[in-house]
Amino acid sequence: YKEHYSTHLFCDNWEQSAQGCAPIDELLKYKTVVWFTGDEDETLTTVEQQLITQFLEFGGRVLLTGQNIGYDLLENGSPEDSLFFTTTLHAQYLENNSNDFMINGVEDIAETNGMSCWLINAFGGAGNQTSPDVIIPIEPAESIFTYSTTGSCAGLRYENPANHARL
């Protein structure tokens, strides 16, 4: 499904299945990384978690997207996976599937106010997000996208005040 992203963003592409996990030196060539887990069973390996953590420690910006990330790391994962979810991703896992495939930007957030996005293949969605997790931001992280029917958190943002890394 990466074509859906690459047609809308000007970006380089690292194909992990063909190239292996990108080294930190590769990520540090960029200010922002879009980390697309898609609909994989294992969303983020330990090595990938360490890489994301390192990139953020260097002040990088990460847009992490996918489905079942919370489910994979907290319901099927290790204590280290759970720690990564709460301390690096600044999220609490609430439930496995929102059963809601439209998200809306939060009104008070300038970057997302007025935005709406379909997670499934309707009106231009990528067509692979059939089990989106419900999360709760851990302060100082804040919700930036909510599910249209429940108002539950679908996406969050966090900025590290020390190094200005952004998630």
Side-chain angles (χ1 to χ4, degrees), residues 28-128:
L28 291 175
K29 294 177 184 177
Y30 307 95
K31 185 176 184 177
T32 303
V33 169
V34 177
W35 197 288
F36 175 63
T37 67
D39 55 1
E40 299 297 319
D41 290 333
E42 184 177 21
T43 57
L44 293 167
T45 66
T46 300
V47 171
E48 292 168 330
Q49 292 172 40
Q50 292 167 348
L51 190 59
I52 291 169
T53 301
Q54 276 186 304
F55 186 66
L56 290 168
E57 287 171 354
F58 279 107
R61 298 172 178 190
V62 175
L63 170 61
L64 176 62
T65 177
Q67 70 176 2
N68 291 326
I69 297 171
Y71 176 80
D72 181 43
L73 297 180
L74 279 82
E75 289 195 31
N76 289 333
S78 68
E80 292 79 16
D81 292 336
S82 179
L83 188 62
F84 170 80
F85 196 81
T86 57
T87 61
T88 300
L89 301 184
H90 301 277
Q92 178 182 344
Y93 171 72
L94 193 57
E95 64 183 278
N96 179 39
N97 192 339
S98 71
N99 291 309
D100 191 347
F101 302 106
M102 183 175 184
I103 60 174
N104 297 314
V106 172
E107 225 174 88
D108 296 340
I109 307 293
E111 296 86 356
T112 62
N113 183 18
M115 291 178 69
S116 292
C117 180
W118 285 93
L119 302 177
I120 58 172
N121 199 13
F123 308 104
N128 67 331

Side-chain angles (χ1 to χ4, degrees), residues 137-158:
I138 296 175
E139 288 189 19
E142 60 185 336
S143 179
I144 61 169
F145 285 104
T146 58
Y147 291 106
S148 64
T149 57
T150 63
S152 301
C153 183
L156 61 81
R157 75 173 176 186
Y158 168 77

Side-chain angles (χ1 to χ4, degrees), residues 14-22 35 45 48:
W14 185 276
E15 185 66 43
Q16 182 169 329
S17 62
Q19 298 172 274
C21 196
W35 197 288
T45 66
E48 292 168 330

